[in-house]
Structure formats: C-alpha cells, structure tokens
Amino acid sequence: MSPQSRELSGITPSGALTLGNYLGALRRFTEHQDDAFYFVANLHALTTDHHPEQLRRATLSTAALFIAAGLDPERATVFLQSDVPAHVELSYLLESTAHLGELSRMIQFKQKGGRPGTRASLFTYPCLMAADILLYDATDVPVGGDQSQHLELARDLAIRFNTLYGRTFVVPRLAPAAFTTRVRDLADPTTKMSKSAPADAPGVIRMLDDPDTISRKVRRAVTDSDGELRYDPDVKPGIANLAEILAALTAGTPEQVLDSVSGYGALKQLCTDVVIAELEPVRRRHQELFADPAELLGMLAVGAARARTVADAVVTRARAAIGVVSAVGASGVADPPAGYHAVHTVKRLPPS
C-alpha cells in the first residue's frame, strides 16, 4: 500500500442539488476527475425519515447530474454507494474502532439526535462516512466546512486503526480548494444555499430550475437599501453573494464584477444571464439521461465494478489486520486450509 494522488467525494441525495452544489462540488469534480472516485451517497439518506420512491428518484437524478455536469465515466469512477458492499462492511470495522464520545460529539447528532424516533444510523453514520473515505486510498477529500469534522474523524480512526492493528489505511487530507465557493441563500444571505431546504424555498437556485424560475429567484434576491455597489460580505451580504456567484462563474473577482455593472438591477440581470447560461445545458443533459436511464445505469454499473475492485482489496486488508477470519475464497465457496484432507464417514443407522 502506497499513497497516491487520488481525489474522492460523495453527495447525499437528500434534496435537489443547488447552484451551491454545482459551484462547490460538481464543477470542481470535473476539474479533478482523472483516477478520482465520485459517488452518490444514497446510504447516508437512510439516517432520517424518507419516502423510498423519492429516494430512488433522487439517487438517479443526482447521478445524472454528475454526468450532465461534465464527469466522464471513462476518466473518473462514478457509482452509487449502495452498489459497493465494502462500504457497509468497513463501516462496522470502524464502528468497532471508534469511541462513543467521538460519535456523540458529531455536529449532526448533536443537532438532530436524542429525540424520540432518532435512528441509530444517525449516531453511527460518521463511521460509514469514514469508510467511504478510507476505502479508496484517497489522499485528497474535498468537503465543505460543515463536513470537515467528519474528515477529522476519518483521519483519527485511520491513525488509531493503523496504530492498533498495523498500517492499513492511507490517512487522507482535506483538499484546500474545497472551501473556495460558498453560495448563500438569496433570500437569507446569512445562511448557505442548502439542498435540504423546502422545494419551494425562494432563495435556493436548483440545478434543474428552468430559466424563468432562476430569473424570478434572482430578481427577488435580498440586497439592501443604500444603493452602493461595494464588496463587503459583513455589511452587504446580499450584494456580496451575487458578486461571488458571478465571480465564480466568470473567473473574475467580486470587485471586478461590481465594477462592471451600473446598479443593483444590472447586477441581478447579469447574474441571471450567467447562471442560466451555465446551468441550462446541464439541465437538458439531465433530462435526456433521466428520460431513458439505460445509458446512465450502464455507466454506473461500470463505475461500481471498478470501485469494488479497489474497495474490496482495502476491506480485505482491514479484515486481516483486525483479526477477522474468512473461510470463503474468491470463488465464493469455502476453501479448506492447506494440508486438509476430507474424511468421509458413513453413519450406520441401527436396524429398525
């Protein structure tokens, strides 16, 4: 086992993906896709109440957006988390390595756990996320600030496992560029644009919004009343948010964006035009894949097979290190130990 430069990331299909997901994740994926692993983390969506059919649709829609946004399955490994059983198996081995206090301090559990009906998986899913990260010997893991705690846990578990049972896992690092694009809610620029927001949230631009919907949301974006075009995220978060979105899409700076427009109306119109131009081709490609999913499912099947080859080798390494014995060989049937000779005996029944 030797560390190699390899990026890995996943997105949970807990809601329709947003402009924030595109700028902060998907577009970055397309820029770092050689020998990279990108997956739809559908098992993580089971930690809270959900409708099975909606989850199935959201899973395939998210996968379609991966491809529509520019991921090339011949360059990157694109797959569904649930198609690689090693994720679940390694998760249990890491649950057997993690400490109760570590999991109880995780942000998601502190915010949502402890209530009646809380699912046990909400408590243990950081171990599944750690398994996601460690299964592919990845060196770089791009995560947003709200997920950095999970990467720290993955690092801690990898180091502890390596110390207790021998060097088994590559200890990953956070990819610094993951923090570059933070898109905020247009209606409340003090909060991030979240895919878990209600479907009709006025300040959330979804990747599948049509041009009219995008235009309406940007037109109604919160700004301020002083009319001054100045980049100041603390004092003028609404203006700063629009400028940052445009800067991310035009490879400029927020200051350059604001210098190029004459007023708030012009800023919103420019933002509308640029966002639509960026997302409309993605939306059309998604519609093609989703209308006839055979092509999409074929690409995901190829990705899953490639992912299993890597993940199975890592989980086998972890099983051996932690002391799990296997009597089943690669053929799927029990292989006798070396030197074993079967002895056939016949049990004679007493006469009736």
Side-chain angles (χ1 to χ4, degrees):
M1 178 190 64
S2 60
Q4 52 192 312
S5 180
R6 173 181 288 165
E7 185 164 299
L8 172 137
S9 191
I11 294 180
T12 302
S14 56
L17 299 192
T18 71
L19 177 63
N21 296 124
Y22 176 73
L23 291 175
L26 290 183
R27 195 172 68 163
R28 176 191 164 83
F29 294 176
T30 66
E31 297 168 354
H32 301 81
Q33 57 181 312
D34 290 313
D35 192 33
F37 288 73
Y38 299 118
F39 62 95
V40 180
N42 53 331
L43 295 178
H44 288 296
L46 305 181
T47 60
T48 55
D49 291 342
H50 65 277
H51 189 283
E53 182 55 34
Q54 289 177 349
L55 176 57
R56 281 188 282 268
R57 288 182 60 84
T59 298
L60 290 179
S61 179
T62 301
L65 283 172
F66 277 28
I67 306 301
L71 278 178
D72 181 352
E74 293 189 2
R75 295 173 60 191
T77 300
V78 182
F79 62 101
L80 305 181
Q81 181 189 34
S82 57
D83 280 337
V84 184
H87 285 257
V88 176
E89 181 173 3
L90 184 57
S91 177
Y92 181 73
L93 298 185
L94 295 177
E95 285 179 30
S96 301
T97 307
H99 298 159
L100 193 67
E102 290 173 312
L103 299 183
S104 65
R105 289 193 295 270
M106 301 304 287
I107 293 173
Q108 291 286 345
F109 186 76
K110 289 175 70 175
Q111 291 177 343
K112 303 176 183 178
R115 305 169 187 169
T118 299
R119 301 187 181 194
S121 57
L122 184 66
F123 184 72
T124 60
Y125 94 94
C127 293
L128 177 59
M129 185 174 287
D132 298 337
I133 293 169
L134 299 177
L135 271 175
Y136 299 96
D137 289 340
T139 56
D140 300 293
V141 182
V143 295
D146 57 343
Q147 296 293 327
S148 59
Q149 186 186 35
H150 292 93
L151 179 62
E152 289 303 322
L153 178 66
R155 287 172 50 83
D156 291 344
L157 293 180
I159 292 169
R160 184 178 305 148
F161 196 103
N162 289 349
T163 301
L164 291 173
Y165 307 118
R167 189 165 180 264
T168 304
F169 298 119
V170 172
V171 180
R173 61 178 177 262
L174 177 65
F179 292 118
T180 56
T181 305
R182 301 273 184 82
V183 178
R184 287 166 283 180
D185 190 295
L186 298 180
D188 180 8
T190 64
T191 63
K192 76 170 187 176
M193 190 176 287
S194 172
K195 69 179 184 292
S196 300
D200 59 351
V204 178
I205 295 177
R206 309 283 180 177
M207 289 183 66
L208 297 179
D209 281 346
D210 59 55
D212 288 343
T213 300
I214 292 173
S215 178
R216 183 178 66 254
K217 289 179 177 179
V218 176
R219 189 168 60 248
R220 296 176 179 175
V222 168
T223 53
D224 52 54
S225 59
D226 68 17
E228 182 183 359
L229 285 170
R230 175 168 53 89
Y231 182 63
D232 189 335
D234 294 327
V235 177
K236 303 168 74 66
I239 295 298
N241 191 31
L242 295 173
E244 288 168 1
I245 290 171
L246 276 166
L249 290 171
T250 61
T253 66
E255 292 83 0
Q256 289 171 336
V257 166
L258 295 178
D259 286 343
S260 71
V261 295
S262 58
Y264 288 6
L267 174 63
K268 289 184 176 182
Q269 187 59 56
L270 179 60
C271 188
T272 297
D273 294 342
V274 171
V275 170
I276 290 173
E278 185 79 16
L279 293 185
E280 187 61 11
V282 177
R283 186 174 75 94
R284 291 201 194 100
R285 178 59 175 147
H286 171 276
Q287 289 176 326
E288 294 172 1
L289 290 166
F290 208 66
D292 184 11
E295 179 185 2
L296 174 64
L297 292 172
M299 289 186 285
L300 293 174
V302 171
R306 192 186 304 160
R308 283 196 296 268
T309 298
V310 177
D312 288 351
V314 174
V315 81
T316 297
R317 202 163 69 210
R319 284 165 59 96
I322 203 171
V324 174
V325 176
S326 177
V328 178
S331 63
V333 298
D335 291 336
Y340 175 84
H341 298 284
V343 177
H344 298 281
T345 60
V346 178
K347 182 176 182 180
R348 300 185 180 276
L349 298 176
S352 57

